[in-house]
């Protein structure tokens, strides 16, 4: 593989914004890819995958390169050199790569690969927390969360079937396979920019991980129900619900962020989901008006996002122990407040994209032990670990309101 100067410089510029200015990797990579219209899919793939790789292995590469944040431009080139050397890429004769200690890089890599916090490139506190909460499962799990995520599509059954979608994508040279146990899912054999396909523009599918697709099914939806998606965000799960309800009934998609709900409206239009309405939670009245009125309530709670590190590898550098304390309090507050919207006999589903019991089973138990939780009983729950499922780490619990 031959390195091209403009592509390498694009990676370095993007890393500077992510590491030194605290910007989000996905947004900055997306911005960088718009910089030069002449870049083809391979060029764009190189920039995105190399940047994500260096973000993912920041701690390991920094240790090997002997550099610390804030990273100067020469230090960012040293991180890139480590990446290229370990990938077996020939280092070009540029002044930025003078005196590359190839043998030393490989020797340090072998040495540090025996220590989990370096081998899996995670902060000390996160390694300690993972061991405390997951025990023996932590090492295989964090290893799986450092692997590149599969691209999974969710067929929009309002417009097509998985079989038909497969044939349509075949014509666009995107081969897929069915995923056993996930009725609407198709998995891509190779990564591709599916957002440029005619099938996507026509609303025939959404990109949604297999674990996330389980949540709408857990709600046991039926056409005609009144359903509240209380932390809807941009609405991936709301759209899935609309399809499962065959556009019949009412889905109230709520969030504290109006811009996310605006994006949901745009997506709903493309998907042909007509039974969706959005409501911004700008006061406590919005929730009170819905007390005891919903057949189903989904709380897809804000969380550490540890289950989706494969997609957002920069999260492990942005997370702090303080944030974990705050988010647990927020999760419990949401359970206490939003559970009041469920009518007697209705179901409440609490879900997170975290793998930590303290955000999942322990939150549910704390809620059930509380006064508000006395009206509920747990029907089932599922903890999904990436190293066992091959999909994102996830958790959901199904609670029924009995009185």
């Amino acid at each position: 593989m031959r390195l091209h100067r403009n592509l390498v410089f694009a990676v370095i510029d993007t890393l500077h914004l992510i590491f030194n200015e605290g910007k989000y990797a996905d947004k900055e990579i997306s911005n960088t890819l718009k910089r030069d219209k002449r870049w083809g899919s391979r060029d764009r793939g190189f920039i995105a995958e190399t940047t994500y790789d260096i973000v993912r292995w920041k701690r390991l590469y920094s240790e090997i390169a002997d550099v610390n944040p804030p990273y100067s431009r020469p230090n960012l080139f040293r991180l890139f050199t480590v990446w290229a050397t370990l990938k077996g890429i020939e280092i070009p004769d540029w002044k930025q790569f003078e005196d590359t200690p190839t043998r030393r890089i490989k020797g340090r890599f072998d040495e540090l690969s025996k220590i989990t916090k370096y081998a899996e490139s995670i902060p000390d506190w996160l390694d300690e927390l993972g061991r405390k909460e997951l025990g023996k499962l932590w090492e295989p799990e964090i290893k799986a969360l450092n692997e590149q995520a599969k691209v999974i599509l969710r067929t929009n059954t309002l417009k097509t079937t998985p079989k038909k979608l497969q044939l349509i994508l075949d014509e666009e040279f995107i081969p897929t396979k069915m995923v056993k146990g996930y009725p609407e899912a198709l998995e891509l054999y190779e990564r591709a920019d599916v957002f440029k396909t005619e099938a996507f523009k026509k609303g025939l599918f959404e990109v949604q991980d297999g674990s996330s697709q389980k949540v709408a099914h857990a709600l046991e939806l039926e056409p005609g129900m009144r359903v509240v998606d209380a932390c809807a965000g941009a609405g991936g799960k709301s759209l899935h619900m609309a399809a499962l309800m065959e556009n019949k009934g009412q889905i109230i998609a709520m969030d504290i962020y109006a811009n996310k709900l605006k994006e949901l409206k745009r997506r709903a239009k493309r998907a042909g989901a007509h039974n969706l309405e959005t409501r911004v939670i700008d006061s406590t009245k919005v929730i009170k008006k819905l007390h005891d009125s919903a057949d189903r309530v989904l709380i897809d709670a804000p969380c550490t996002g540890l289950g989706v590190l494969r997609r957002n590898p920069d999260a492990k550098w942005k997370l702090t122990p303080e944030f974990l304390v705050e988010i647990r309090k927020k999760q419990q507050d949401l359970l206490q407040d939003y559970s009041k919207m469920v009518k007697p006999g209705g179901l409440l589903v609490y879900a997170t994209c975290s793998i930590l019991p303290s955000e999942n089973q322990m939150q549910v138990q704390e809620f059930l032990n509380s006064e508000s939780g006395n009206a509920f009983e747990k029907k089932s729950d599922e903890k999904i670990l990436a190293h066992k499922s091959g999909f994102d780490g996830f958790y959901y619990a199904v609670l029924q309101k009995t009185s």
Side-chain angles (χ1 to χ4, degrees), residues 154-397:
R154 177 183 58 74
T155 309
N156 177 12
T157 52
L158 290 173
K159 292 192 170 188
T160 189
T161 65
K163 273 262 188 290
K164 284 180 190 166
L165 177 61
Q166 216 174 9
L167 295 171
I168 292 163
L169 289 171
D170 273 344
E171 286 173 17
E172 298 202 51
F173 305 104
I174 296 178
T176 60
K177 61 180 176 183
M178 303 277 185
V179 185
K180 196 180 173 189
Y182 297 80
E184 296 90 21
L186 291 178
E187 182 184 333
L188 267 63
Y189 280 104
E190 282 180 18
R191 301 185 80 75
D193 188 354
V194 293
F195 299 113
K196 286 187 173 162
T197 62
E198 281 305 306
F200 179 74
K201 290 170 192 169
K202 288 175 182 169
L204 304 188
F205 69 85
E206 293 286 340
V207 175
Q208 187 178 8
D209 185 75
S211 296
S212 177
Q213 290 189 36
K214 285 193 153 197
V215 176
H217 286 285
L219 285 154
E220 298 174 22
L221 299 165
E222 287 170 25
M225 283 182 167
R226 181 186 233 194
V227 180
V228 175
D229 186 353
C231 309
K237 296 180 184 71
S238 292
L239 296 175
H240 193 186
M241 291 180 209
L244 292 177
M245 290 166 70
E246 299 163 17
N247 256 341
K248 294 165 188 162
Q250 182 189 29
I251 296 169
I252 303 167
M254 310 170 86
D255 206 277
I256 56 171
Y257 300 109
N259 60 325
K260 289 185 177 180
L261 295 176
K262 195 177 169 187
E263 169 67 3
L264 168 54
K265 279 184 183 173
R266 196 176 65 78
R267 291 173 77 187
K269 191 177 176 186
R270 188 180 61 234
H274 310 306
N275 62 338
L276 260 169
E277 66 169 276
T278 59
R279 292 186 197 178
V280 180
I281 304 170
D282 50 11
S283 74
T284 53
K285 285 179 190 167
V286 179
I287 304 297
K288 278 181 183 163
K289 276 182 186 169
L290 291 167
H291 278 190
D292 296 314
S293 74
D295 297 291
R296 304 285 186 264
V297 172
L298 169 62
I299 302 175
D300 185 13
C303 66
T304 54
L306 283 176
V308 292
L309 282 182
R310 295 191 283 198
R311 294 166 202 288
N312 305 312
D314 53 330
K316 54 187 173 179
W317 313 122
K318 289 184 165 61
L319 280 176
T320 62
E322 293 74 28
F323 176 78
L324 185 57
V325 172
E326 285 167 29
I327 209 69
R328 284 176 188 148
K329 185 184 182 311
K330 180 75 181 163
Q331 289 162 350
Q332 194 56 226
D333 288 348
L334 292 176
L335 273 166
Q336 297 291 334
D337 294 346
Y338 293 0
S339 60
K340 294 182 173 76
M341 292 187 280
V342 185
K343 69 184 191 187
L347 296 182
L348 168 68
V349 170
Y350 171 81
T352 78
C353 55
S354 176
I355 50 172
L356 299 178
S358 60
E359 293 185 82
N360 297 333
Q361 301 94 309
M362 288 161 75
Q363 287 288 26
V364 170
Q365 200 50 55
E366 186 180 333
F367 169 68
L368 291 171
N369 292 342
S370 71
E371 196 179 335
S372 306
N374 278 339
F376 288 83
E377 61 181 36
K378 186 167 84 175
K379 277 187 78 180
S380 64
D381 71 346
E382 185 176 7
K383 51 179 186 289
I384 306 166
L385 293 173
H387 78 277
K388 291 184 175 178
S389 69
F391 299 115
D392 290 343
F394 228 87
Y395 173 83
Y396 64 85

